[in-house]
Amino acid sequence: MITRRAIKQYLLLILYSLLIVAILLGVNSVSPSPVTLKNILLLTAGFTLVSLIALIIFFFGQNTNPEKNVFSTLTAIGVKMVLSFILALLFFAVFKNKETGSVILFFILYLAFTVFVFFTFLRIIKRKST
């Protein structure tokens, strides 16, 4: 859904993704890391897309019918979880990334983007309730 609040959150997600890439590249350049640039960019782009889809579903449900707010929030969380599972399947099975650094990077990015999405949901719901 295209509202000022939604656009602001989409832009914050993109800035958050760029910040994460910058931090990971900085850490990768300072010390030798088992994580490659390809894995960093692939996973960050994948989780950004998954989070963007979850935010679109959330904002669409928030703006259409106030009685379906809870359902849209739960749907957005469920879709994010399923898409993250698909991303994990692609990343580990198809691209054959089985190194320890790749696994740790995946779960760190999953946690970072999940926290961002949940705090965004909570902030929007809190503002709507007051």
Side-chain angles (χ1 to χ4, degrees):
M1 188 54 63
I2 299 177
T3 61
R4 285 188 65 200
R5 186 182 308 169
I7 291 173
K8 180 182 173 186
Q9 295 304 317
Y10 301 152
L11 291 175
L12 278 174
L13 175 64
I14 292 170
L15 289 174
Y16 186 70
S17 300
L18 292 174
L19 178 69
I20 287 175
V21 167
I23 289 171
L24 288 173
L25 290 178
V27 168
N28 203 10
S29 67
V30 170
S31 64
S33 175
V35 181
T36 64
L37 176 65
K38 180 186 89 167
N39 288 346
I40 291 171
L41 294 178
L42 180 71
L43 281 177
T44 305
F47 279 118
T48 301
L49 182 64
V50 167
S51 299
L52 182 65
I53 291 170
L55 287 174
I56 289 171
I57 292 170
F58 174 76
F59 281 116
F60 183 74
Q62 293 294 314
N63 294 327
T64 56
N65 189 356
E67 296 160 352
K68 294 185 179 180
N69 288 346
V70 174
F71 183 71
S72 70
T73 304
L74 291 176
T75 302
I77 291 170
V79 166
K80 182 185 180 321
M81 184 183 68
V82 168
L83 290 176
S84 295
F85 288 158
I86 293 171
L87 181 65
L89 180 70
L90 288 173
F91 186 69
F92 294 120
V94 175
F95 296 124
K96 296 183 179 26
N97 288 315
K98 294 184 169 89
E99 297 90 24
T100 305
S102 296
V103 174
I104 292 171
L105 177 67
F106 179 86
F107 285 110
I108 287 173
L109 288 177
Y110 177 77
L111 178 65
F113 281 97
T114 301
V115 167
F116 176 83
V117 169
F118 282 149
F119 280 144
T120 301
F121 289 176
L122 291 175
R123 191 176 335 121
I124 300 298
I125 291 171
K126 183 178 174 184
R127 284 187 190 157
K128 275 197 146 194
S129 69
T130 57

